[in-house]
Amino acid sequence: MTTLLTTYCFMDLLKDYNYVPETDHSENHFLSTIKNAYKNVSDFVKLNATSYGFMGLLHDNNYIP
């Protein structure tokens, strides 16, 4: 507990309540690139899964209505 009190400063308090000046924000571009790639892949899979319906299944199994 004493370590927390000695290392916790005013800027940490501001960061906790999102009152940080723009110059103090840090970004990790590598992490955001991975998140964007994962989002693109998941959106692609979701789009393909939702657009495939019962009629598509019938057509894939050579049942033509």
Short mmCIF file of all heavy atoms in Angstrom, two decimals:
data_model
loop_
_atom_site.label_atom_id
_atom_site.label_comp_id
_atom_site.label_asym_id
_atom_site.label_seq_id
_atom_site.Cartn_x
_atom_site.Cartn_y
_atom_site.Cartn_z
N MET A 1 0.83 -1.19 0.00
CA MET A 1 0.00 0.00 0.00
C MET A 1 0.87 1.25 0.00
O MET A 1 0.52 2.22 -0.64
CB MET A 1 -0.93 -0.05 1.23
CG MET A 1 -1.90 1.08 1.30
SD MET A 1 -3.12 0.88 0.00
CE MET A 1 -4.19 2.22 0.37
N THR A 2 1.98 1.22 0.70
CA THR A 2 2.84 2.41 0.73
C THR A 2 3.50 2.64 -0.62
O THR A 2 3.75 3.77 -0.99
CB THR A 2 3.91 2.28 1.82
OG1 THR A 2 4.68 1.10 1.56
CG2 THR A 2 3.29 2.21 3.19
N THR A 3 3.75 1.57 -1.37
CA THR A 3 4.33 1.73 -2.71
C THR A 3 3.35 2.43 -3.63
O THR A 3 3.73 3.28 -4.43
CB THR A 3 4.71 0.36 -3.29
OG1 THR A 3 5.50 -0.35 -2.35
CG2 THR A 3 5.49 0.52 -4.58
N LEU A 4 2.08 2.08 -3.52
CA LEU A 4 1.06 2.73 -4.34
C LEU A 4 0.99 4.23 -4.04
O LEU A 4 0.91 5.04 -4.95
CB LEU A 4 -0.31 2.09 -4.09
CG LEU A 4 -1.50 2.76 -4.79
CD1 LEU A 4 -1.39 2.56 -6.29
CD2 LEU A 4 -2.80 2.20 -4.28
N LEU A 5 1.04 4.57 -2.79
CA LEU A 5 0.93 5.98 -2.43
C LEU A 5 2.17 6.77 -2.82
O LEU A 5 2.07 7.95 -3.14
CB LEU A 5 0.67 6.12 -0.94
CG LEU A 5 -0.69 5.59 -0.45
CD1 LEU A 5 -0.80 5.71 1.05
CD2 LEU A 5 -1.82 6.32 -1.13
N THR A 6 3.33 6.15 -2.84
CA THR A 6 4.54 6.89 -3.20
C THR A 6 4.71 7.00 -4.70
O THR A 6 5.37 7.91 -5.18
CB THR A 6 5.78 6.23 -2.59
OG1 THR A 6 5.85 4.88 -3.05
CG2 THR A 6 5.74 6.27 -1.08
N THR A 7 4.13 6.07 -5.48
CA THR A 7 4.30 6.12 -6.94
C THR A 7 3.11 6.76 -7.65
O THR A 7 3.20 7.07 -8.82
CB THR A 7 4.51 4.71 -7.51
OG1 THR A 7 3.38 3.91 -7.17
CG2 THR A 7 5.78 4.09 -6.95
N TYR A 8 2.01 6.93 -6.98
CA TYR A 8 0.81 7.50 -7.59
C TYR A 8 0.92 9.02 -7.52
O TYR A 8 1.08 9.59 -6.44
CB TYR A 8 -0.42 7.02 -6.83
CG TYR A 8 -1.72 7.23 -7.56
CD1 TYR A 8 -2.08 6.40 -8.61
CD2 TYR A 8 -2.59 8.25 -7.20
CE1 TYR A 8 -3.26 6.57 -9.26
CE2 TYR A 8 -3.78 8.43 -7.86
CZ TYR A 8 -4.11 7.59 -8.89
OH TYR A 8 -5.30 7.77 -9.56
N CYS A 9 0.84 9.67 -8.67
CA CYS A 9 1.03 11.12 -8.69
C CYS A 9 -0.22 11.81 -9.23
O CYS A 9 -1.21 11.19 -9.56
CB CYS A 9 2.26 11.48 -9.51
SG CYS A 9 2.08 11.13 -11.26
N PHE A 10 -0.13 13.11 -9.33
CA PHE A 10 -1.26 13.92 -9.78
C PHE A 10 -1.64 13.60 -11.22
O PHE A 10 -2.82 13.55 -11.57
CB PHE A 10 -0.91 15.41 -9.64
CG PHE A 10 -2.03 16.31 -10.01
CD1 PHE A 10 -3.19 16.37 -9.24
CD2 PHE A 10 -1.95 17.11 -11.13
CE1 PHE A 10 -4.24 17.20 -9.59
CE2 PHE A 10 -3.00 17.94 -11.48
CZ PHE A 10 -4.15 17.99 -10.70
N MET A 11 -0.64 13.35 -12.10
CA MET A 11 -0.95 13.01 -13.48
C MET A 11 -1.67 11.67 -13.57
O MET A 11 -2.53 11.48 -14.44
CB MET A 11 0.33 12.97 -14.32
CG MET A 11 0.86 14.35 -14.67
SD MET A 11 -0.35 15.37 -15.54
CE MET A 11 -0.38 14.63 -17.12
N ASP A 12 -1.36 10.74 -12.69
CA ASP A 12 -2.09 9.47 -12.68
C ASP A 12 -3.55 9.69 -12.31
O ASP A 12 -4.44 9.05 -12.86
CB ASP A 12 -1.45 8.50 -11.69
CG ASP A 12 -0.07 8.07 -12.12
OD1 ASP A 12 0.17 7.96 -13.34
OD2 ASP A 12 0.77 7.83 -11.23
N LEU A 13 -3.80 10.59 -11.40
CA LEU A 13 -5.17 10.92 -11.03
C LEU A 13 -5.91 11.54 -12.20
O LEU A 13 -7.07 11.21 -12.48
CB LEU A 13 -5.18 11.88 -9.83
CG LEU A 13 -6.54 12.32 -9.31
CD1 LEU A 13 -7.29 11.13 -8.73
CD2 LEU A 13 -6.38 13.41 -8.28
N LEU A 14 -5.24 12.42 -12.92
CA LEU A 14 -5.87 13.02 -14.10
C LEU A 14 -6.15 11.96 -15.17
O LEU A 14 -7.19 12.00 -15.83
CB LEU A 14 -4.96 14.12 -14.66
CG LEU A 14 -4.83 15.39 -13.83
CD1 LEU A 14 -3.84 16.33 -14.50
CD2 LEU A 14 -6.17 16.07 -13.65
N LYS A 15 -5.24 11.03 -15.35
CA LYS A 15 -5.43 9.97 -16.34
C LYS A 15 -6.61 9.08 -15.96
O LYS A 15 -7.36 8.63 -16.84
CB LYS A 15 -4.17 9.13 -16.47
CG LYS A 15 -3.06 9.81 -17.21
CD LYS A 15 -1.82 8.92 -17.25
CE LYS A 15 -0.66 9.67 -17.85
NZ LYS A 15 0.57 8.86 -17.84
N ASP A 16 -6.79 8.83 -14.68
CA ASP A 16 -7.90 7.99 -14.24
C ASP A 16 -9.25 8.61 -14.58
O ASP A 16 -10.22 7.91 -14.86
CB ASP A 16 -7.82 7.76 -12.73
CG ASP A 16 -6.71 6.80 -12.36
OD1 ASP A 16 -6.19 6.11 -13.26
OD2 ASP A 16 -6.36 6.77 -11.16
N TYR A 17 -9.34 9.93 -14.57
CA TYR A 17 -10.60 10.62 -14.85
C TYR A 17 -10.62 11.26 -16.24
O TYR A 17 -11.46 12.10 -16.53
CB TYR A 17 -10.87 11.68 -13.78
CG TYR A 17 -11.21 11.05 -12.45
CD1 TYR A 17 -10.26 10.93 -11.46
CD2 TYR A 17 -12.48 10.56 -12.22
CE1 TYR A 17 -10.56 10.34 -10.25
CE2 TYR A 17 -12.80 9.97 -11.02
CZ TYR A 17 -11.84 9.86 -10.03
OH TYR A 17 -12.15 9.26 -8.85
N ASN A 18 -9.69 10.86 -17.11
CA ASN A 18 -9.61 11.31 -18.51
C ASN A 18 -9.50 12.83 -18.64
O ASN A 18 -10.10 13.44 -19.52
CB ASN A 18 -10.82 10.82 -19.31
CG ASN A 18 -10.80 9.33 -19.48
OD1 ASN A 18 -9.74 8.73 -19.60
ND2 ASN A 18 -11.97 8.72 -19.48
N TYR A 19 -8.74 13.43 -17.75
CA TYR A 19 -8.46 14.86 -17.84
C TYR A 19 -7.00 15.08 -18.23
O TYR A 19 -6.32 15.91 -17.68
CB TYR A 19 -8.72 15.57 -16.51
CG TYR A 19 -10.16 15.58 -16.09
CD1 TYR A 19 -10.56 15.06 -14.88
CD2 TYR A 19 -11.14 16.14 -16.91
CE1 TYR A 19 -11.88 15.07 -14.49
CE2 TYR A 19 -12.46 16.15 -16.53
CZ TYR A 19 -12.82 15.62 -15.31
OH TYR A 19 -14.12 15.63 -14.93
N VAL A 20 -6.51 14.34 -19.18
CA VAL A 20 -5.10 14.39 -19.55
C VAL A 20 -4.94 15.33 -20.73
O VAL A 20 -5.71 15.28 -21.69
CB VAL A 20 -4.60 12.98 -19.90
CG1 VAL A 20 -3.13 12.99 -20.24
CG2 VAL A 20 -4.87 12.03 -18.77
N PRO A 21 -3.94 16.21 -20.69
CA PRO A 21 -3.69 17.07 -21.85
C PRO A 21 -3.33 16.24 -23.08
O PRO A 21 -2.85 15.11 -22.97
CB PRO A 21 -2.49 17.92 -21.41
CG PRO A 21 -2.40 17.77 -19.95
CD PRO A 21 -3.05 16.49 -19.59
N GLU A 22 -3.55 16.77 -24.24
CA GLU A 22 -3.31 16.04 -25.48
C GLU A 22 -1.86 15.61 -25.64
O GLU A 22 -1.56 14.61 -26.26
CB GLU A 22 -3.72 16.89 -26.69
CG GLU A 22 -5.22 17.03 -26.85
CD GLU A 22 -5.91 15.72 -27.17
OE1 GLU A 22 -5.34 14.90 -27.91
OE2 GLU A 22 -7.02 15.51 -26.65
N THR A 23 -0.93 16.37 -25.08
CA THR A 23 0.48 16.02 -25.24
C THR A 23 0.89 14.81 -24.42
O THR A 23 1.90 14.20 -24.69
CB THR A 23 1.38 17.21 -24.82
OG1 THR A 23 1.05 17.56 -23.47
CG2 THR A 23 1.16 18.39 -25.73
N ASP A 24 0.09 14.44 -23.44
CA ASP A 24 0.45 13.33 -22.57
C ASP A 24 -0.18 12.01 -23.00
O ASP A 24 0.11 10.98 -22.42
CB ASP A 24 0.07 13.65 -21.13
CG ASP A 24 0.75 12.73 -20.15
OD1 ASP A 24 1.95 12.47 -20.36
OD2 ASP A 24 0.10 12.28 -19.20
N HIS A 25 -1.04 12.00 -24.00
CA HIS A 25 -1.64 10.76 -24.47
C HIS A 25 -0.59 9.96 -25.23
O HIS A 25 0.15 10.50 -26.05
CB HIS A 25 -2.82 11.04 -25.41
CG HIS A 25 -4.03 11.50 -24.71
ND1 HIS A 25 -4.80 10.68 -23.95
CD2 HIS A 25 -4.62 12.73 -24.64
CE1 HIS A 25 -5.82 11.36 -23.45
NE2 HIS A 25 -5.72 12.61 -23.86
N SER A 26 -0.55 8.68 -24.97
CA SER A 26 0.38 7.82 -25.70
C SER A 26 -0.41 6.82 -26.52
O SER A 26 -1.45 6.33 -26.09
CB SER A 26 1.31 7.09 -24.72
OG SER A 26 0.54 6.26 -23.87
N GLU A 27 0.09 6.52 -27.69
CA GLU A 27 -0.56 5.57 -28.57
C GLU A 27 0.42 4.48 -28.94
O GLU A 27 1.59 4.73 -29.12
CB GLU A 27 -1.03 6.24 -29.87
CG GLU A 27 -2.25 7.10 -29.73
CD GLU A 27 -2.75 7.59 -31.06
OE1 GLU A 27 -2.48 6.93 -32.08
OE2 GLU A 27 -3.39 8.63 -31.08
N ASN A 28 -0.09 3.30 -29.04
CA ASN A 28 0.71 2.19 -29.49
C ASN A 28 0.19 1.81 -30.87
O ASN A 28 -0.85 1.16 -30.99
CB ASN A 28 0.60 1.02 -28.51
CG ASN A 28 1.59 -0.06 -28.82
OD1 ASN A 28 2.22 -0.05 -29.86
ND2 ASN A 28 1.74 -1.00 -27.90
N HIS A 29 0.89 2.23 -31.92
CA HIS A 29 0.41 2.01 -33.28
C HIS A 29 0.40 0.53 -33.64
O HIS A 29 -0.45 0.08 -34.40
CB HIS A 29 1.27 2.79 -34.27
CG HIS A 29 1.13 4.27 -34.11
ND1 HIS A 29 -0.02 4.94 -34.43
CD2 HIS A 29 1.98 5.20 -33.63
CE1 HIS A 29 0.13 6.23 -34.17
NE2 HIS A 29 1.34 6.41 -33.67
N PHE A 30 1.34 -0.23 -33.11
CA PHE A 30 1.39 -1.66 -33.39
C PHE A 30 0.14 -2.35 -32.86
O PHE A 30 -0.47 -3.16 -33.54
CB PHE A 30 2.66 -2.27 -32.78
CG PHE A 30 2.80 -3.73 -33.03
CD1 PHE A 30 3.09 -4.20 -34.30
CD2 PHE A 30 2.63 -4.64 -32.01
CE1 PHE A 30 3.22 -5.56 -34.54
CE2 PHE A 30 2.76 -5.99 -32.24
CZ PHE A 30 3.05 -6.45 -33.51
N LEU A 31 -0.24 -2.03 -31.64
CA LEU A 31 -1.43 -2.63 -31.04
C LEU A 31 -2.70 -2.22 -31.78
O LEU A 31 -3.59 -3.03 -32.02
CB LEU A 31 -1.53 -2.25 -29.57
CG LEU A 31 -2.60 -2.93 -28.75
CD1 LEU A 31 -2.41 -4.44 -28.78
CD2 LEU A 31 -2.56 -2.43 -27.33
N SER A 32 -2.79 -0.95 -32.18
CA SER A 32 -3.97 -0.51 -32.91
C SER A 32 -4.04 -1.15 -34.30
O SER A 32 -5.14 -1.43 -34.80
CB SER A 32 -4.00 1.01 -33.03
OG SER A 32 -2.93 1.48 -33.78
N THR A 33 -2.90 -1.43 -34.90
CA THR A 33 -2.88 -2.12 -36.20
C THR A 33 -3.40 -3.53 -36.06
O THR A 33 -4.19 -4.00 -36.89
CB THR A 33 -1.44 -2.14 -36.75
OG1 THR A 33 -0.96 -0.81 -36.86
CG2 THR A 33 -1.39 -2.80 -38.12
N ILE A 34 -3.01 -4.22 -35.00
CA ILE A 34 -3.51 -5.58 -34.76
C ILE A 34 -5.00 -5.56 -34.49
O ILE A 34 -5.75 -6.40 -35.01
CB ILE A 34 -2.73 -6.23 -33.60
CG1 ILE A 34 -1.30 -6.48 -34.02
CG2 ILE A 34 -3.40 -7.52 -33.16
CD1 ILE A 34 -0.41 -6.98 -32.92
N LYS A 35 -5.48 -4.60 -33.70
CA LYS A 35 -6.91 -4.50 -33.41
C LYS A 35 -7.71 -4.24 -34.67
O LYS A 35 -8.78 -4.81 -34.88
CB LYS A 35 -7.17 -3.39 -32.40
CG LYS A 35 -6.79 -3.75 -30.99
CD LYS A 35 -7.11 -2.60 -30.04
CE LYS A 35 -6.72 -2.92 -28.63
NZ LYS A 35 -6.98 -1.79 -27.72
N ASN A 36 -7.21 -3.36 -35.55
CA ASN A 36 -7.92 -3.05 -36.79
C ASN A 36 -7.94 -4.26 -37.71
O ASN A 36 -8.96 -4.52 -38.37
CB ASN A 36 -7.27 -1.87 -37.49
CG ASN A 36 -7.55 -0.57 -36.79
OD1 ASN A 36 -8.51 -0.46 -36.04
ND2 ASN A 36 -6.70 0.42 -37.01
N ALA A 37 -6.84 -5.02 -37.78
CA ALA A 37 -6.82 -6.22 -38.62
C ALA A 37 -7.80 -7.25 -38.09
O ALA A 37 -8.52 -7.89 -38.88
CB ALA A 37 -5.40 -6.79 -38.67
N TYR A 38 -7.84 -7.44 -36.78
CA TYR A 38 -8.79 -8.38 -36.19
C TYR A 38 -10.23 -7.95 -36.45
O TYR A 38 -11.08 -8.77 -36.76
CB TYR A 38 -8.54 -8.50 -34.68
CG TYR A 38 -9.49 -9.41 -33.99
CD1 TYR A 38 -9.39 -10.79 -34.12
CD2 TYR A 38 -10.53 -8.90 -33.21
CE1 TYR A 38 -10.28 -11.63 -33.50
CE2 TYR A 38 -11.43 -9.73 -32.58
CZ TYR A 38 -11.30 -11.10 -32.72
OH TYR A 38 -12.19 -11.93 -32.11
N LYS A 39 -10.50 -6.65 -36.37
CA LYS A 39 -11.84 -6.14 -36.62
C LYS A 39 -12.25 -6.38 -38.08
O LYS A 39 -13.37 -6.77 -38.37
CB LYS A 39 -11.93 -4.66 -36.29
CG LYS A 39 -13.31 -4.07 -36.47
CD LYS A 39 -13.29 -2.58 -36.17
CE LYS A 39 -14.62 -1.95 -36.41
NZ LYS A 39 -15.15 -2.13 -37.75
N ASN A 40 -11.31 -6.15 -39.00
CA ASN A 40 -11.62 -6.36 -40.42
C ASN A 40 -11.91 -7.83 -40.71
O ASN A 40 -12.85 -8.14 -41.46
CB ASN A 40 -10.46 -5.88 -41.29
CG ASN A 40 -10.32 -4.37 -41.27
OD1 ASN A 40 -11.27 -3.66 -40.96
ND2 ASN A 40 -9.15 -3.88 -41.60
N VAL A 41 -11.14 -8.74 -40.13
CA VAL A 41 -11.36 -10.16 -40.35
C VAL A 41 -12.69 -10.58 -39.73
O VAL A 41 -13.47 -11.31 -40.35
CB VAL A 41 -10.20 -10.99 -39.77
CG1 VAL A 41 -10.53 -12.47 -39.75
CG2 VAL A 41 -8.93 -10.75 -40.57
N SER A 42 -12.99 -10.12 -38.52
CA SER A 42 -14.25 -10.51 -37.88
C SER A 42 -15.45 -9.93 -38.63
O SER A 42 -16.48 -10.60 -38.76
CB SER A 42 -14.28 -10.07 -36.43
OG SER A 42 -14.26 -8.67 -36.32
N ASP A 43 -15.34 -8.71 -39.16
CA ASP A 43 -16.43 -8.15 -39.96
C ASP A 43 -16.64 -8.95 -41.24
O ASP A 43 -17.78 -9.17 -41.65
CB ASP A 43 -16.14 -6.69 -40.31
CG ASP A 43 -16.27 -5.77 -39.11
OD1 ASP A 43 -16.84 -6.19 -38.09
OD2 ASP A 43 -15.77 -4.62 -39.20
N PHE A 44 -15.55 -9.40 -41.87
CA PHE A 44 -15.65 -10.19 -43.09
C PHE A 44 -16.33 -11.53 -42.82
O PHE A 44 -17.22 -11.95 -43.55
CB PHE A 44 -14.25 -10.41 -43.68
CG PHE A 44 -14.24 -11.27 -44.91
CD1 PHE A 44 -14.69 -10.78 -46.11
CD2 PHE A 44 -13.77 -12.58 -44.85
CE1 PHE A 44 -14.68 -11.57 -47.25
CE2 PHE A 44 -13.75 -13.37 -45.97
CZ PHE A 44 -14.21 -12.87 -47.17
N VAL A 45 -15.95 -12.19 -41.72
CA VAL A 45 -16.55 -13.47 -41.38
C VAL A 45 -18.01 -13.29 -41.01
O VAL A 45 -18.87 -14.08 -41.42
CB VAL A 45 -15.77 -14.14 -40.22
CG1 VAL A 45 -16.51 -15.33 -39.66
CG2 VAL A 45 -14.38 -14.54 -40.69
N LYS A 46 -18.32 -12.23 -40.26
CA LYS A 46 -19.70 -11.99 -39.86
C LYS A 46 -20.57 -11.71 -41.08
O LYS A 46 -21.70 -12.19 -41.17
CB LYS A 46 -19.77 -10.82 -38.90
CG LYS A 46 -21.14 -10.60 -38.30
CD LYS A 46 -21.22 -9.34 -37.46
CE LYS A 46 -20.31 -9.42 -36.28
NZ LYS A 46 -20.43 -8.23 -35.41
N LEU A 47 -20.05 -10.94 -42.04
CA LEU A 47 -20.81 -10.63 -43.25
C LEU A 47 -21.10 -11.89 -44.04
O LEU A 47 -22.22 -12.12 -44.51
CB LEU A 47 -20.06 -9.62 -44.10
CG LEU A 47 -20.71 -9.25 -45.43
CD1 LEU A 47 -21.98 -8.45 -45.18
CD2 LEU A 47 -19.76 -8.45 -46.28
N ASN A 48 -20.09 -12.75 -44.19
CA ASN A 48 -20.29 -13.98 -44.95
C ASN A 48 -21.20 -14.96 -44.22
O ASN A 48 -21.96 -15.69 -44.86
CB ASN A 48 -18.94 -14.66 -45.23
CG ASN A 48 -18.17 -13.91 -46.30
OD1 ASN A 48 -18.74 -13.19 -47.09
ND2 ASN A 48 -16.87 -14.07 -46.30
N ALA A 49 -21.16 -14.97 -42.90
CA ALA A 49 -22.01 -15.89 -42.15
C ALA A 49 -23.46 -15.44 -42.16
O ALA A 49 -24.37 -16.27 -42.20
CB ALA A 49 -21.50 -16.01 -40.72
N THR A 50 -23.70 -14.15 -42.13
CA THR A 50 -25.08 -13.68 -42.08
C THR A 50 -25.73 -13.64 -43.46
O THR A 50 -26.94 -13.72 -43.56
CB THR A 50 -25.16 -12.28 -41.47
OG1 THR A 50 -24.32 -11.39 -42.19
CG2 THR A 50 -24.75 -12.30 -40.01
N SER A 51 -24.93 -13.56 -44.53
CA SER A 51 -25.53 -13.50 -45.86
C SER A 51 -25.81 -14.90 -46.42
O SER A 51 -26.41 -15.04 -47.46
CB SER A 51 -24.63 -12.74 -46.83
OG SER A 51 -23.41 -13.43 -47.01
N TYR A 52 -25.38 -15.93 -45.73
CA TYR A 52 -25.59 -17.30 -46.17
C TYR A 52 -26.84 -17.83 -45.50
O TYR A 52 -26.91 -17.93 -44.28
CB TYR A 52 -24.37 -18.15 -45.80
CG TYR A 52 -24.39 -19.54 -46.37
CD1 TYR A 52 -24.10 -19.75 -47.70
CD2 TYR A 52 -24.66 -20.63 -45.57
CE1 TYR A 52 -24.09 -21.02 -48.23
CE2 TYR A 52 -24.66 -21.91 -46.08
CZ TYR A 52 -24.37 -22.11 -47.42
OH TYR A 52 -24.37 -23.37 -47.94
N GLY A 53 -27.83 -18.15 -46.29
CA GLY A 53 -29.10 -18.58 -45.72
C GLY A 53 -29.48 -19.99 -46.16
O GLY A 53 -28.67 -20.75 -46.71
N PHE A 54 -30.71 -20.32 -45.90
CA PHE A 54 -31.21 -21.65 -46.21
C PHE A 54 -31.21 -21.91 -47.70
O PHE A 54 -30.88 -23.02 -48.15
CB PHE A 54 -32.62 -21.80 -45.64
CG PHE A 54 -33.22 -23.16 -45.86
CD1 PHE A 54 -32.72 -24.26 -45.19
CD2 PHE A 54 -34.27 -23.34 -46.75
CE1 PHE A 54 -33.25 -25.52 -45.39
CE2 PHE A 54 -34.81 -24.59 -46.96
CZ PHE A 54 -34.31 -25.69 -46.28
N MET A 55 -31.54 -20.91 -48.50
CA MET A 55 -31.55 -21.09 -49.96
C MET A 55 -30.13 -21.33 -50.47
O MET A 55 -29.92 -22.10 -51.40
CB MET A 55 -32.18 -19.88 -50.63
CG MET A 55 -33.65 -19.71 -50.28
SD MET A 55 -34.64 -21.16 -50.63
CE MET A 55 -34.90 -20.96 -52.36
N GLY A 56 -29.15 -20.69 -49.87
CA GLY A 56 -27.75 -20.94 -50.26
C GLY A 56 -27.33 -22.35 -49.92
O GLY A 56 -26.57 -23.00 -50.67
N LEU A 57 -27.80 -22.86 -48.79
CA LEU A 57 -27.50 -24.23 -48.40
C LEU A 57 -28.12 -25.22 -49.39
O LEU A 57 -27.47 -26.20 -49.79
CB LEU A 57 -28.02 -24.50 -46.99
CG LEU A 57 -27.81 -25.90 -46.43
CD1 LEU A 57 -26.32 -26.18 -46.24
CD2 LEU A 57 -28.54 -26.04 -45.11
N LEU A 58 -29.36 -24.97 -49.79
CA LEU A 58 -30.00 -25.83 -50.78
C LEU A 58 -29.23 -25.81 -52.10
O LEU A 58 -29.02 -26.85 -52.72
CB LEU A 58 -31.44 -25.39 -51.02
CG LEU A 58 -32.45 -25.70 -49.92
CD1 LEU A 58 -33.80 -25.12 -50.30
CD2 LEU A 58 -32.55 -27.19 -49.69
N HIS A 59 -28.82 -24.65 -52.53
CA HIS A 59 -28.08 -24.52 -53.79
C HIS A 59 -26.73 -25.23 -53.71
O HIS A 59 -26.30 -25.86 -54.69
CB HIS A 59 -27.90 -23.04 -54.14
CG HIS A 59 -27.25 -22.83 -55.46
ND1 HIS A 59 -27.85 -23.18 -56.64
CD2 HIS A 59 -26.04 -22.31 -55.79
CE1 HIS A 59 -27.05 -22.88 -57.64
NE2 HIS A 59 -25.93 -22.37 -57.15
N ASP A 60 -26.05 -25.17 -52.57
CA ASP A 60 -24.76 -25.85 -52.41
C ASP A 60 -24.90 -27.37 -52.46
O ASP A 60 -23.99 -28.07 -52.88
CB ASP A 60 -24.09 -25.44 -51.11
CG ASP A 60 -23.53 -24.04 -51.17
OD1 ASP A 60 -23.44 -23.46 -52.29
OD2 ASP A 60 -23.17 -23.50 -50.10
N ASN A 61 -26.05 -27.87 -52.04
CA ASN A 61 -26.29 -29.32 -52.05
C ASN A 61 -27.06 -29.75 -53.30
O ASN A 61 -27.63 -30.84 -53.32
CB ASN A 61 -27.05 -29.73 -50.79
CG ASN A 61 -26.18 -29.64 -49.57
OD1 ASN A 61 -24.99 -29.95 -49.63
ND2 ASN A 61 -26.74 -29.22 -48.46
N ASN A 62 -27.06 -28.90 -54.32
CA ASN A 62 -27.64 -29.19 -55.64
C ASN A 62 -29.16 -29.40 -55.60
O ASN A 62 -29.71 -30.15 -56.38
CB ASN A 62 -26.97 -30.39 -56.30
CG ASN A 62 -25.52 -30.11 -56.60
OD1 ASN A 62 -25.17 -28.99 -56.97
ND2 ASN A 62 -24.68 -31.11 -56.45
N TYR A 63 -29.82 -28.76 -54.65
CA TYR A 63 -31.28 -28.76 -54.64
C TYR A 63 -31.72 -27.41 -55.17
O TYR A 63 -31.59 -26.39 -54.53
CB TYR A 63 -31.82 -28.95 -53.23
CG TYR A 63 -31.51 -30.30 -52.63
CD1 TYR A 63 -30.62 -30.43 -51.58
CD2 TYR A 63 -32.12 -31.44 -53.15
CE1 TYR A 63 -30.33 -31.67 -51.05
CE2 TYR A 63 -31.85 -32.69 -52.62
CZ TYR A 63 -30.94 -32.80 -51.57
OH TYR A 63 -30.66 -34.03 -51.05
N ILE A 64 -32.28 -27.40 -56.36
CA ILE A 64 -32.73 -26.16 -56.99
C ILE A 64 -34.22 -26.01 -56.76
O ILE A 64 -34.99 -26.88 -57.19
CB ILE A 64 -32.41 -26.16 -58.51
CG1 ILE A 64 -30.96 -26.52 -58.77
CG2 ILE A 64 -32.79 -24.81 -59.12
CD1 ILE A 64 -29.96 -25.53 -58.24
N PRO A 65 -34.66 -24.99 -56.07
CA PRO A 65 -36.10 -24.82 -55.83
C PRO A 65 -36.82 -24.40 -57.10
O PRO A 65 -36.32 -23.80 -57.97
CB PRO A 65 -36.19 -23.75 -54.77
CG PRO A 65 -34.91 -23.03 -54.79
CD PRO A 65 -33.89 -23.96 -55.40
#
